[in-house]
Amino acid sequence: MIRPDIVKQLACPAVGLSTSWIIAQKGKPATHLSEVDGQFRREMWPFEKSVCPKDPTRAKELRQKANETYRKGMDHMGAALSEYNMAICAAPEGSEELGLAYANRSAVCFQQKKYHACVKNIELAQMNYPKDKLEKLLERKEKCVKLLEDGQEVEEELDDKNALDKVEVREIANYGQGVVLRENGNVGDILFQENPSILVVEQGFNFKTCDRCGCNKTQAMIPCSSCTEVMYCSELCKNEAFSMYHKFECEIVQDLQYLFRGPRPVDMFRLAFRVFLRFASELFQNRDKFWQRYQNDLKGFRNPQLINNADIHWHVLCVGQQQKKSGDNNGIGMTQFLTVLIYKVAIEENNSIASLINQQDHDRLRDILYGLLFRVKEYCDQGAPQITSVYPMLRMVNHSCAPNAERVFIGGRCSLLLAKRPIDGGEQVLVCYLPGGSTDTTARDERRKQLQAEFDFECECLGCTLDYPKLDDLEENRELAGELETIDQQPNAEERLDLLKGFLQLYDDLYPQRELAKGWKLCLEALLKPMSSC
């Protein structure tokens, strides 16, 4: 095993220690997690328990640093915002420092012409702001109100609703489950919109991104009332997060940073732990009902379209149970040790949760955590920037190397599925699982090899069956190229988009063609340009 002083220096200490354990076992995993638990020694993990309490002195230091950044001018306002957010997180509730940090953040909002956010910050600041300075702050608020009345800013609203009515999940031969379109769809149609159900925010963005919904409302974030490491876009998100998982994470935020330290892929394990906390929260509400539910057949949770968001963790567990048994002994052994390590540090040494667990619950809870960690790639999504998340419906969409749909993100977290080709009602919606790896750019043997390695299946899509040539191997269709060039020169953006859609719709029977690929690229750019944050 790696020495504790070496573990402390590793970029990914938990993964490194887990790897060391299975090497010490000569690649042979344990027959049960209880064996690993019996071998585990707390001194193997060199990080001492620590907390992140609110500290007015630290808050003042952070605020003063932000003030220095603010004075550097408009190009530095983004950095100043993040630093003020750190100061807000560090300031105790009801303290003068909290009021000063909100007030200073309002100045950034004013400079950025975010007048709604400026007013909100001033309202947050007022209760704790020094009375002798309040007059100047209220003058800023009056200016904002006047500017808003004059129509100087239209407040952007986040659309938190999923739009799934155009599609449905069905059992499909040779695929298992898949997503089909209810009625005919045209090029450019939004097939569905989905926001993440469960997520974690990448370290370094926790003062910019809501820890519950993943939106980026940097100018108006509010902190956790107790710890210093998470922020929310609203009281609603703050309360939902606390109810579902943060009441168990709050006292161990520093421990979690050590456990899940590393590059972005390590966030998958942090996501698995957060899903696990959803199970723990439900367990403590009604223990008998929970274990009865756990022992029953989980097939009823396979279709995410038929369950509510409160039960998404059961769908995630069901996903893992459907997968075939792995023969990766190293992966099994690493996950066994990682499970025991996380459970020991984040559950058994966590005062907010340890006292609520009955002795007979531990083995079964460890089994749940192990399953979530081992199968995390089956439900984890890292397509959106800054967050690692669960998109239940998007996960049901199957692969094709010649897809008829494409996934895009708007607002940092909202996932849209767009029709890039005409799709008949009842036809399966398909996307390419390999970024930049469709028939357009990659040969069949290379695609199949990568899909087998990453997703464990041999692709039999139409692009592979017919062995579509790469675009570079296709000759130019001069007639299509000329028509596309004429469309591209159309000065009216709306008419240009309609013509591009019509072009792709009309000539789809000629797929694949260079000109169709170029036309879709132009169409996609035109579709996304007017879309605001959702």
Side-chain angles (χ1 to χ4, degrees), residues 70 73-74 77 105-115 118 140:
Y70 173 83
M74 284 299 297
M77 290 298 159
R105 191 171 71 177
S106 76
V108 176
C109 298
F110 190 82
Q111 291 296 325
Q112 294 182 325
K113 299 183 180 180
K114 299 292 185 180
Y115 303 122
C118 185
R140 182 183 298 155

Side-chain angles (χ1 to χ4, degrees), residues 40 42 45 49 245 247-257 259-260 273-274 276-277 280 338-354 357 369:
F40 182 83
R42 183 59 175 83
W45 185 246
K49 298 291 292 182
Y245 56 85
K247 59 187 174 186
F248 303 129
E249 290 185 348
C250 193
E251 76 166 71
I252 59 166
V253 288
Q254 189 65 62
D255 301 306
L256 296 180
Q257 288 179 2
L259 278 169
F260 303 115
F273 179 69
R274 185 161 286 182
F276 172 79
L277 292 180
L338 185 62
T339 301
V340 169
L341 172 61
I342 293 172
Y343 197 85
K344 185 71 68 175
V345 174
I347 300 299
E348 292 183 359
E349 296 181 2
N350 184 343
N351 294 325
S352 67
I353 193 171
I357 302 176
L369 179 57

Side-chain angles (χ1 to χ4, degrees), residues 328-344:
D328 178 12
N329 285 340
N330 286 331
I332 292 170
M334 285 178 61
T335 309
Q336 286 176 336
F337 188 89
L338 185 62
T339 301
V340 169
L341 172 61
I342 293 172
Y343 197 85
K344 185 71 68 175

Side-chain angles (χ1 to χ4, degrees), residues 444-474:
R444 179 174 63 181
D445 289 349
E446 185 179 343
R447 295 194 312 268
R448 282 181 163 174
K449 183 178 179 181
Q450 190 174 350
L451 287 164
Q452 186 70 53
E454 293 189 27
F455 301 99
D456 196 24
F457 70 86
E458 183 170 342
C459 187
E460 297 292 345
C461 74
L462 197 62
C464 287
T465 303
L466 300 180
D467 196 12
Y468 285 167
K470 295 189 296 182
L471 295 181
D472 288 345
D473 297 332
L474 291 169

Side-chain angles (χ1 to χ4, degrees), residues 23-172:
I23 291 173
Q25 306 305 308
K26 299 181 179 180
K28 184 178 180 180
T31 55
H32 194 269
L33 286 171
S34 58
E35 295 178 28
V36 186
D37 186 55
Q39 296 176 32
F40 182 83
R41 298 291 179 268
R42 183 59 175 83
E43 55 268 23
M44 294 176 179
W45 185 246
F47 300 97
E48 296 181 3
K49 298 291 292 182
S50 57
V51 294
C52 298
K54 305 284 189 181
D55 182 353
T57 302
R58 175 64 175 154
K60 183 176 181 180
E61 292 171 354
L62 290 167
R63 181 175 57 80
Q64 289 175 339
K65 181 184 177 185
N67 289 344
E68 293 174 7
T69 305
Y70 173 83
R71 295 187 191 102
K72 293 178 181 178
M74 284 299 297
D75 291 343
H76 299 271
M77 290 298 159
L81 265 178
S82 293
E83 290 168 357
Y84 281 131
N85 282 350
M86 293 171 68
I88 288 168
C89 280
E93 279 207 323
S95 67
E96 183 176 290
E97 270 305 320
L98 184 60
L100 289 167
Y102 277 131
N104 289 7
R105 191 171 71 177
S106 76
V108 176
C109 298
F110 190 82
Q111 291 296 325
Q112 294 182 325
K113 299 183 180 180
K114 299 292 185 180
Y115 303 122
H116 285 98
C118 185
V119 170
K120 181 176 180 179
N121 275 281
I122 292 170
E123 291 172 347
L124 289 167
Q126 279 183 245
M127 187 178 299
N128 304 304
Y129 200 68
K131 300 302 180 186
D132 58 328
K133 299 179 181 179
L134 192 56
E135 184 177 351
K136 184 178 179 181
L137 189 65
L138 294 178
E139 287 176 2
R140 182 183 298 155
K141 181 179 179 181
E142 288 179 11
K143 289 179 183 178
C144 288
V145 172
K146 179 72 166 60
L147 289 164
L148 290 170
E149 289 174 350
D150 293 342
Q152 293 298 309
E153 182 196 15
V154 177
E155 187 174 22
E156 293 181 359
E157 292 187 4
L158 294 172
D159 182 1
D160 289 315
K161 296 179 180 178
N162 294 333
L164 306 173
D165 55 300
K166 293 182 180 179
V167 296
E168 64 178 281
V169 176
R170 291 183 189 170
E171 295 291 332
I172 299 174

Side-chain angles (χ1 to χ4, degrees), residues 221-287:
M221 304 283 273
I222 58 175
C224 168
S225 301
S226 300
C227 75
T228 62
E229 296 300 317
V230 297
M231 302 195 83
Y232 304 99
C233 67
S234 65
E235 287 289 343
L236 176 63
C237 275
K238 180 178 177 179
N239 293 335
E240 285 185 352
F242 188 82
S243 173
M244 288 189 288
Y245 56 85
H246 192 65
K247 59 187 174 186
F248 303 129
E249 290 185 348
C250 193
E251 76 166 71
I252 59 166
V253 288
Q254 189 65 62
D255 301 306
L256 296 180
Q257 288 179 2
Y258 292 138
L259 278 169
F260 303 115
R261 189 172 78 191
R264 196 178 182 210
V266 179
D267 280 344
M268 292 191 296
F269 302 130
R270 191 155 61 101
L271 178 69
F273 179 69
R274 185 161 286 182
V275 175
F276 172 79
L277 292 180
R278 294 277 290 262
F279 284 102
S281 183
E282 184 176 339
L283 168 67
F284 303 143
Q285 292 173 28
N286 190 322
R287 181 170 272 98

